[in-house]
Every structure is written in structure tokens, then in C-alpha cells.
Amino acid sequence: MNLSEIINGLNDKQCQSVTLNNDKNALILAGAGSGKTRVLTHRIAYLITQKNIHTDAILAVTFTNKAAAEMRKRLSILLRRPIQSMWVGTFHGLAHRLLRTHYEKAGLTSSFQILDAQDQFRIVKRLMKDNNIDELKFPIRKVQWFINTQKDKGIRTQDIEPSYNYFAKKSLEVFELYEAHCQANDLIDFAELLIRSYELLKNNTDLLNHYQARFEHILVDEFQDTNTVQYKWIKLLFNGSNKVFCVGDDDQSIYGWRGAKIENITKLCTDFMPIETIRLEQNYRSTGNILNASNALIAHNTDRMSKSLWTDAGDGESINVYEARTETDEADYVISGIQKLITDGASPSDCAILYRSNAQSRIFEEVLIKHNIPYIIYGGLRFFERAEIKDALGYLRLIENSADNVAFERVVNFPTRGIGNATVEKIRTFAQNNHTSLFQAAMQMSSTLPTRATNALNGFTNLIEQMTNDTKHLDLSEKVANLLNTSGLMAHYSNDKTDKAGSKRENLEELITAAQQYNHEQDSEINEVVGFISLASLDSSGDTNAPINQNVELMTVHSAKGLEFPYVFLVGMEEDLFPSRQSKDEPHLIDEERRLCYVGMTRAMKKLSLSYAIKRFLHGQSLYAYPSRFLDEIPSKYLNKLKAKFGATIQNYNNDHTFNQNITLKSDGQLSIGASVKHAKFGLGTVLNFEGQGDSARVQIKFKQAGTKWLISSYANLEFI
């Protein structure tokens, strides 16, 4: 491959980034839609083909399995050869690879298991119960969050000072119990993957020197999303002789709530000197008006590395801003807009409804169903998170390693075989007292139990031993197919009355396909079954479900990052909703909310619509709202402001927010919001709002003496002043 092939189609800044001298560190500030993945993959191809850097000397890190797979695919096409053994993957995936390769130095065994979030939750719950820690006072998910947050910061239990905060003190107690349990049972959670692999390198100088010398080039995608440990991990691998090439956008840093440190992207400029910063500002996604409005919004964040997106694709349409009376009115407006787009030839999947909180989806779903428009909630359960898949993998884990206690507890009585909680508790106690696995405990103590429990336990342990022997010489997909039938899982889900569509059985069949397609070359350091199980665990840590064609897509703005749609409806643009109530008193949180809004706006390719409601029923109460401050931060010249005409259609309204809505009163006068009225009982007042139609129409009035009241307009006998 020659240089012209690599840089073909790149703009000047992209070309400068790709062909940067390979003796320089680089920060590529890549704005939304500026082609950052293309730059990253072409940079790797440039190093390999033009600078003769061996594939084994490159470490490429990203955040999601989807992004890692896309990078591998693009590199294979560019280089015209497979790159399975190359160190390309997520932080968690590469950390896992390190730990599997050097498990002894990491204080693990070769058969260590990865806990997903559900497994971790169950263990924390049981430890709290066993130690009489009240989960009402100390909610399990909050304790779980405390544990993971400390690990994401690189903090171990011994590093935490006993706190005067009783919740933190008790959470630390659970943290210590949890760490001891994981160490005793050879378990690793997601956060532990990172901190343990960091400690592995830090505490083993020879190993660190090896990888520092091996990885001549370290490339990191989405650098603004790195947390404390991830940053320390990259910094540890950097020795001054190797080079880092980091791609990111501080304006799209939206994961502070899960540990991402926006300051990491600025620390690069001091910790990896000398470093060259290149800005990618040409956008290939959105129209000029969308970009100009987004630039104006994000400019209100003062502590940022400035850049301004632009496009040569023209200005496009103005951005609609719709003021709705209620959340129902907002949903009607959005869905009617989608209906028109579909009528004009758009696919439902061209349209996305983005919201700040999942609770906002309900009303849009109702209206979509009413109009028979297909939709999907993006970001639901991932394939490997589904209960039936976790059940099947539980059997696979136990067949591979009978000492896997987490797998034992999941499948010991599923499908139901008469082994109750009391029996499992006795097995657990026996195992703890005799320092053995639950499976071995079940085999050793079964004869001490009542006959029925003994028979049930023997049946289970015999089943596992039979499956282990029967599948010993089968390949991975054949093992999966065998266990699905022998375990009774396939029969159980075939008879599941709640699964009328048969989707659970179909998912189990898809698991066989997944096993067939598993590429073991990427995990050649470990055996095929362990590699596949690990892949399944790691997959459940990152990506949401892929979009399904021909459906309108509903999702949170967080879930929308990395996606794009021709038509985007960004809804709920109200104070205390977007920005959220929790952020309003913290400037750095408001900045992150603004970045989140910026991300939402820049998902739109052709048309963007923003909307808010004056009154919203949310979380069980009616709320009166003010428009989001973010709307005021966008210059009016990019906006087309709309408002619902009372009981009817939508019409333009002026920038000074005066209304043209009318209502007919008994006096036959015409009355608009803001007008003065007189009521026989309540006296003088000002009209604030209208709602409903015909005889049920209501008017909201703020009276000078009686306060704010809603009145049925046909009975109010209001006098027009």
C-alpha cells in the first residue's frame, strides 16, 4: 500500500494527523462528525505500511466493543489482511488479556471468572445479609456504586480513611468483605480488571519494561472518557521513547457521573511533552445551522479547548423550537412531525427522539402506538445480559470449572429440580467451613440431607459431571448445543407460557451461532471456552443494543453518543429536566449538561427539532416549567420558534415570547395569555395558560388576592378588562 492510498479522501487536517512524524506525541481534538475513527485507523495503517512499525508494536485502545470491532474491520480492509493478534480493543478487554497472560503475577489462577454488574450486586446483597447490614439504611446499589467508584479512582480499601460519614464507613466495611470474598473465590469485576492490570504492571518492573519497549505506539480513542485508572494505565505504559496518539473531544465529555475525568484531556499537554495538538473541525454530518447553533451553545463553557465546527454542505433548515402546553402536546407535535417525514418518504429509522431521562419515553411510546408507528427503545438489555443467555453460560462456566460458585448458584435449581434456598444455604455454610467450592460441598454433604434433597443434589452433580464428560472433545458450538438440551434449558424455554413469541428459545439458538462465530485468535493466550465466556462477560459491560431497522428510535441523550440520524427531536428542554435539577447549583455539572445538550444536537444530520412543555406530569406530580437556559444560549437567527395555537394548530411566535393564542369567553371577547380579567369571586387576575378544547377547556389565572387557579372557561364568567 502506498501513501496516496492511505491519505486518499482525507482533508488537510486529517492528512496532517495521519502523517504526523512518528517521533511525536499527538492530541487530535476531533469534533463531532469530523471523521475521528477514520483518522485513527488510517494513522495505524500509515505507521505499519509507511514507517515499518510491526503490528505487535501497536496498542490501540477504545471504549466500546462496537468501536473496537469497527476499528479491526477497517484496519483489515486497509491493510488487506487479518489483524486478529494485534492489541486492539477496549480498556477492559486489553486489561483482561494482560491478566490472563500473567495471571500468577496478578495473584490469580488461570480459571479466574469475571463478574458482571448483576453478579456483583447479588454478592454484595448476600454479604450484607450475612453480616446483618440493613439494606434499607444502606441501599445495595449505592454500596455497589461506592465500591466501583473507589476502584475507578485507583483506591484500595486500605487507602480509605475511616470516615465520620456513617454511610461511607459502613460501605467500606462491605467493600472489605467483598474484596475478601472475590479474592477467595478467584473473581474479578469490571473495575477490578483495570486496577488489577495497572497494579500488575506497576508492581512488576520487568513486565512493565517489556510492554513499554513492545508498544512503540499507543493510540487512544475517546480520550475525554478516560477515568483516573485508565489515565494512569496509559501514563504507566509511556516511557518517553514510545509515543501516544490520543483522539478526543472535551466538548463531548458527558460521563463524569461514572468516573470520566475531563481534565485528563488537558493533562495530556503536560504529562506527554512534547505534544502536538491538531483540531479536526470540518464536520461531515450536520448542516450549517445545526453546527452554528451547537457552536454557540458550547461556547458558554469557558474552560474548554476551543474549536468551531463547520461544513461546506450549506446552512440547511432552521432549527424548530416548539413550546408545548403539556407533555402530551409535545408528544403529539413530535409524532405528527415524524408522520409527515414518513409520508414524504423517510424511513422510521431515520428519526430519533432523544430525552434526558428514561421516564420521559412513556408518553411518546403511547402516541407512537396510537398511530401504529413502529419504534424501539435503544439501549435495552444486551444479548449477553438476557436471563436465558446467562443461564446457559452458567452451565458452560460450571462445566469448564466446577469451582465457579457464581455459576453454581445460578443454575443449581434452574430449571427447577427441588433444591430450595434452605439447601443452598446449608451447602454455602459447609463450603465456607471446609474451604471448598459449592460444587464439592454439594457432593460431599448430600448424604447428610433429607432423602428428597439428597436425590435432587445428586441428580444435579451427576448431570454436571455427565455434561463435562460428554462435551470434553466437542468444539465450542457443539458444547453449547449439547448443554442447552442436556440441562433442560431448551425444553424449559420451549414450554415457557410467558414467551409466546419464542424469543427466548431463539436467543438460545443464537448463542450457538455466537459460539460458531467466535474468533479465538484474538484470545489465543487462553482456551476457547474461557475466551468465549470472558467475551460474553466483557460484552455486557459496554455497548447497548444495535439499532433495529425500520423503527423510530427512542433513547437518552447519553445513549445517542456516537450515533447519527437524519431527523432528531430533542425533547424536554426545560429547567430542572435538561439541565437536570441535580446540576443546577454546581457550575461543573451545568457545563457537563451543556456538553450533553451539544452531543444531542450534533446527532442531527438534516433536521433538528427542540421542544419543551410549560406543564409536565413527571414522577407522579404536575410541574410548571421554565424553558431550558440552553435555548436562550442559541442565537435566534438559527431558530424557528413555534407554539401551539389553543386547541388547534401550530404557529410562529415572536422572539419576545408574546403569544397569539385565543380563547372565546362568555363576554364574546377575545383573550390572550397575559391579558387581564375579572372574576366575580376571585377578583382581578392575569391569564397564564390554556388547556383542553370545547366545553372542557380550562384557563389558568393568577389572581392578585386568591392566587393561581384553573377554571373551566365556559363556566368562569370572566370579564374581559
Side-chain angles (χ1 to χ4, degrees), residues 264-542:
N264 287 350
I265 204 166
T266 53
K267 284 169 63 178
L268 269 173
C269 298
T270 55
D271 288 350
F272 296 86
M273 294 285 286
I275 190 166
E276 184 162 340
T277 300
I278 301 173
R279 288 170 168 79
L280 303 183
E281 297 174 302
Q282 183 173 359
N283 177 281
Y284 293 92
R285 175 188 299 153
S286 306
T287 64
N289 276 326
I290 293 171
L291 295 180
N292 291 334
S294 302
N295 288 334
L297 171 73
I298 202 64
H300 285 78
N301 281 4
T302 54
D303 189 16
R304 57 185 286 265
M305 304 177 78
S306 63
K307 65 181 173 310
S308 185
L309 298 180
W310 61 274
T311 181
D312 57 11
D315 289 340
E317 296 183 46
S318 296
I319 299 168
N320 283 346
V321 179
Y322 179 64
E323 181 185 84
R325 296 186 301 274
T326 65
E327 75 276 8
T328 303
D329 181 24
E330 181 184 41
D332 286 339
Y333 162 74
V334 169
I335 306 313
S336 66
I338 290 174
Q339 278 185 305
K340 186 177 187 306
L341 289 168
I342 294 172
T343 300
D344 292 344
S347 165
S349 60
D350 290 338
C351 307
I353 303 172
L354 310 184
Y355 35 76
R356 180 63 181 84
S357 165
N358 277 311
Q360 293 171 252
S361 72
R362 178 193 57 81
I363 187 65
F364 294 99
E365 291 187 69
E366 289 180 2
V367 181
L368 284 163
I369 291 169
K370 175 182 175 183
H371 292 282
N372 200 30
I373 298 175
Y375 73 92
I376 185 172
I377 302 291
Y378 182 88
L381 280 179
R382 293 174 280 269
F383 178 76
F384 287 109
E385 284 182 329
R386 298 181 184 277
E388 61 273 20
I389 300 302
K390 289 174 70 68
D391 293 335
L393 290 174
Y395 278 100
L396 185 61
R397 286 167 58 174
L398 203 57
I399 292 167
E400 179 64 24
N401 174 20
S402 65
D404 187 335
N405 291 340
V406 174
F408 178 93
E409 292 210 36
R410 182 169 193 100
V411 303
V412 66
N413 195 41
F414 191 83
T416 305
R417 51 177 58 91
I419 303 172
N421 291 335
T423 300
V424 173
E425 186 60 41
K426 290 176 182 176
I427 296 170
R428 194 182 294 125
T429 301
F430 184 94
Q432 290 171 349
N433 293 340
N434 292 274
H435 307 289
T436 189
S437 69
L438 296 179
F439 187 83
Q440 287 298 320
M443 294 183 71
Q444 294 172 28
M445 67 173 293
S446 63
S447 60
T448 66
L449 297 171
T451 302
R452 184 176 177 183
T454 296
N455 291 338
L457 266 186
N458 287 339
F460 175 69
T461 55
N462 290 338
L463 172 68
I464 298 302
E465 289 185 322
Q466 175 198 332
M467 292 166 67
T468 303
N469 291 327
D470 290 349
T471 61
K472 191 173 295 182
H473 302 296
L474 299 180
D475 66 27
L476 178 61
S477 62
E478 290 172 333
K479 282 187 178 182
V480 173
N482 179 285
L483 75 85
L484 289 178
N485 290 309
T486 307
S487 67
L489 283 177
M490 194 63 86
H492 171 82
Y493 284 113
S494 296
N495 297 323
D496 186 352
K497 303 300 183 186
T498 65
D499 185 30
K500 294 180 181 178
S503 58
K504 293 180 181 179
R505 183 183 174 92
E506 289 176 358
N507 286 337
L508 291 177
E509 292 169 346
E510 182 63 22
L511 184 63
I512 301 173
T513 303
Q516 290 172 333
Q517 296 175 344
Y518 169 60
N519 185 352
H520 185 228
E521 290 183 33
Q522 292 178 211
D523 302 294
S524 55
E525 296 91 346
I526 54 182
N527 78 50
E528 189 177 36
V529 175
V530 172
F532 182 68
I533 293 169
S534 299
L535 171 72
S537 298
L538 291 168
D539 185 76
S540 69
S541 70

Side-chain angles (χ1 to χ4, degrees), residues 145 153 250-263 298 300-304 356 558 578-597 629-630:
W145 176 86
K153 294 177 182 176
D250 57 330
D251 289 337
Q252 296 187 75
S253 179
I254 60 174
Y255 297 117
W257 51 276
R258 69 181 189 195
K261 298 290 184 184
I262 189 173
E263 56 267 29
I298 202 64
H300 285 78
N301 281 4
T302 54
D303 189 16
R304 57 185 286 265
R356 180 63 181 84
H558 280 103
F578 200 5
S580 68
R581 181 182 291 108
Q582 293 81 358
S583 67
K584 64 189 305 179
D585 298 323
E586 299 286 345
H588 74 283
L589 294 180
I590 285 291
D591 284 353
E592 180 157 319
E593 290 285 302
R594 188 176 286 108
R595 292 194 294 270
L596 186 60
C597 184
R629 69 190 71 187
F630 300 151

Side-chain angles (χ1 to χ4, degrees), residues 113-130:
Q113 295 294 328
I114 302 173
L115 293 173
D116 64 18
Q118 294 177 32
D119 294 331
Q120 185 188 46
F121 177 87
R122 281 196 293 270
I123 290 172
V124 171
K125 180 182 177 71
R126 189 187 329 120
L127 290 170
M128 288 175 61
K129 180 181 178 182
D130 291 346

Side-chain angles (χ1 to χ4, degrees), residues 133 143 146-147 150 155-163 165-179:
I133 299 173
V143 175
F146 174 88
I147 292 170
Q150 306 312 309
I155 298 172
R156 291 296 193 186
T157 54
Q158 62 269 23
D159 302 323
I160 304 173
E161 290 293 329
S163 175
N165 180 321
Y166 191 56
F167 178 82
K169 190 172 183 178
K170 188 60 69 172
S171 295
L172 174 56
E173 180 183 328
V174 179
F175 191 2
E176 291 170 337
L177 292 167
Y178 172 76
E179 288 288 84

Side-chain angles (χ1 to χ4, degrees), residues 678-690:
K678 184 178 181 180
H679 185 270
K681 179 178 179 181
F682 302 126
L684 295 175
T686 303
V687 176
L688 298 180
N689 198 6
F690 302 112

